Amino acid sequence: MKEEEPVNIFEYLDYRHYLRDLYQHRKASSYGFSHRSFSRRVGLKSSNFLKLVMDGERNLTPEMAHRFAEGCGLTGREIDYFCELVAFNQARTASEKKRCHQRLFRFKQYRQIHRLHEAQAEYHANWYLPAIRELGARSDFRDDAKWIAGALRPRITPAEARKALDTLLKLGL
């Protein structure tokens, strides 16, 4: 049976923060837990590798990410999420990071925890959301998707305007 962890992997967007928090929790609650014991559990020769990863001095390969996830006691979708999180954090280009971030949104647990984050990402991904927010301050503003779509240059569709209004409401803007 899997040990219950108060450190929930789905709450994290940085696997290094997760590893640090998990390490601190285990160190405080389990006698004998150390970098060395974790390294043995994962099959590493270097007892210092976990610390180097947590400090950002070493990255994880996909295979090593899987081994670390298992060493953390993760199972099933948690392992998959951890591996995707490693890919996201280690992505080198903006487009690669965006692709990895989209894969994180496939996890239901992540979406439930990070609802506002998703709306914030939507806000920054579409130029017209801030423009619609500013339109809302005008005295002649109409809460009509067709009117909003026609007021912007370049034009957007009424469906995009409706979706944008929903996002702005979620964000309280």
Side-chain angles (χ1 to χ4, degrees), residues 23-162:
Y23 179 80
Q24 289 171 354
H25 169 73
R26 290 244 179 106
K27 186 82 172 156
S29 63
S30 301
Y31 176 78
F33 187 80
S34 65
H35 291 117
R36 177 169 284 136
S37 67
F38 181 84
S39 295
R40 273 192 303 252
R41 188 176 188 174
V42 176
L44 297 171
K45 292 178 182 166
S46 168
S47 61
N48 196 32
F49 192 70
L50 171 62
K51 181 171 178 359
L52 294 173
V53 170
M54 289 189 305
D55 291 344
E57 295 176 29
R58 294 285 186 275
N59 284 332
L60 295 176
T61 64
E63 185 230 328
M64 191 58 71
H66 194 272
R67 288 171 54 188
F68 262 59
E70 288 177 338
C72 290
L74 302 176
T75 60
R77 299 289 287 159
E78 294 170 330
I79 291 173
D80 296 339
Y81 182 80
F82 182 85
C83 293
E84 291 293 350
L85 200 55
V86 169
F88 171 69
N89 291 158
Q90 295 178 179
R92 293 202 167 126
T93 66
S95 61
E96 183 183 358
K97 197 157 192 87
K98 184 177 180 179
R99 268 192 313 278
C100 291
H101 196 251
Q102 289 169 340
R103 288 196 307 260
L104 292 175
F105 276 117
R106 293 181 186 160
F107 292 89
K108 180 182 176 186
Q109 299 94 325
Y110 175 83
R111 288 191 314 270
Q112 289 172 334
I113 292 169
H114 298 277
R115 282 189 179 127
L116 185 58
H117 185 303
E118 186 175 1
Q120 289 168 332
E122 177 83 14
Y123 181 84
H124 294 291
N126 296 298
W127 67 268
Y128 51 85
L129 270 92
I132 292 171
R133 187 192 76 220
E134 292 303 316
L135 273 177
R138 288 179 35 178
S139 61
D140 63 339
F141 178 77
R142 288 191 288 179
D143 187 6
D144 173 47
K146 197 172 184 178
W147 180 87
I148 293 168
L152 294 176
R153 300 289 181 275
R155 292 190 183 270
I156 63 171
T157 67
E160 288 171 320
R162 265 189 298 282

